[in-house]
Amino acid sequence: MYKNILVPVVLDKAHDTQASFQAARLLADTDAVFSVVHVQEPIPAYAASQIPNDVLAHTRHEIQEQLNQNAKELPGAKAYLISGHAGRAIVDFANENDIDCIILASHKPGFEDIFLGTTANRVVHHAKCSVHVIR
């Protein structure tokens, strides 16, 4: 059983987080800590310069609120909104926070991702902890 579990989530209607949350509950020790993370890809500077700061701040606030709502489905989970390339940011977060298990959903791959999606592939190959991929 794991004591410090990371569950990265995608916040859109096409992605269901329930399977990841259920796996996290099943793999958790009695006193496990859950971290629910959403990675926001950076906006290129040429585009960000055209978006008003209040719009960027409001969007980030809305994403954080949605993430907080998702995290409530795991007992005592903490929600983190981080920025960066998804695969790299998840691995970095896991390393910096002594995560011992990552529960990661993966889409059904296309020909270019024959076995795993690109984010899942990066996490599986670079994480220093256990990774459970949900498909």
Side-chain angles (χ1 to χ4, degrees):
M1 301 308 243
Y2 299 102
K3 294 193 177 295
N4 197 357
I5 299 174
L6 173 61
V7 184
V9 296
V10 177
L11 299 174
D12 64 21
K13 295 182 192 304
H15 291 86
D16 181 19
T17 58
Q18 293 309 308
S20 296
F21 289 166
Q22 182 179 4
R25 286 196 253 349
L26 291 172
L27 294 168
D29 201 358
T30 55
D31 59 345
V33 174
F34 299 103
S35 298
V36 178
V37 170
H38 175 73
V39 181
Q40 186 176 20
E41 297 275 342
I43 300 171
Y46 65 86
S49 67
Q50 302 301 312
I51 302 170
N53 287 337
D54 59 329
V55 171
L56 291 173
H58 179 70
T59 301
R60 186 167 177 86
H61 176 74
E62 285 183 349
I63 292 169
Q64 183 68 56
E65 288 300 313
Q66 187 178 359
L67 182 59
N68 291 342
Q69 286 298 322
N70 275 3
K72 287 181 180 178
E73 297 188 34
L74 281 173
K78 292 182 183 174
Y80 298 92
L81 177 57
I82 58 178
S83 297
H85 176 271
R88 188 175 313 121
I90 292 167
V91 170
D92 290 346
F93 184 92
N95 290 339
E96 293 164 6
N97 292 280
D98 297 321
I99 300 295
D100 59 2
C101 180
I102 301 171
I103 311 286
L104 181 67
S106 178
H107 62 76
K108 291 186 179 179
F111 184 73
E112 66 280 357
D113 313 312
I114 208 74
F115 298 107
L116 291 173
T118 54
T119 299
N121 187 41
R122 173 139 183 115
V123 173
V124 165
H125 286 95
H126 296 283
K128 296 177 183 174
C129 62
S130 297
V131 179
H132 292 267
V133 179
I134 307 295
R135 201 179 286 186

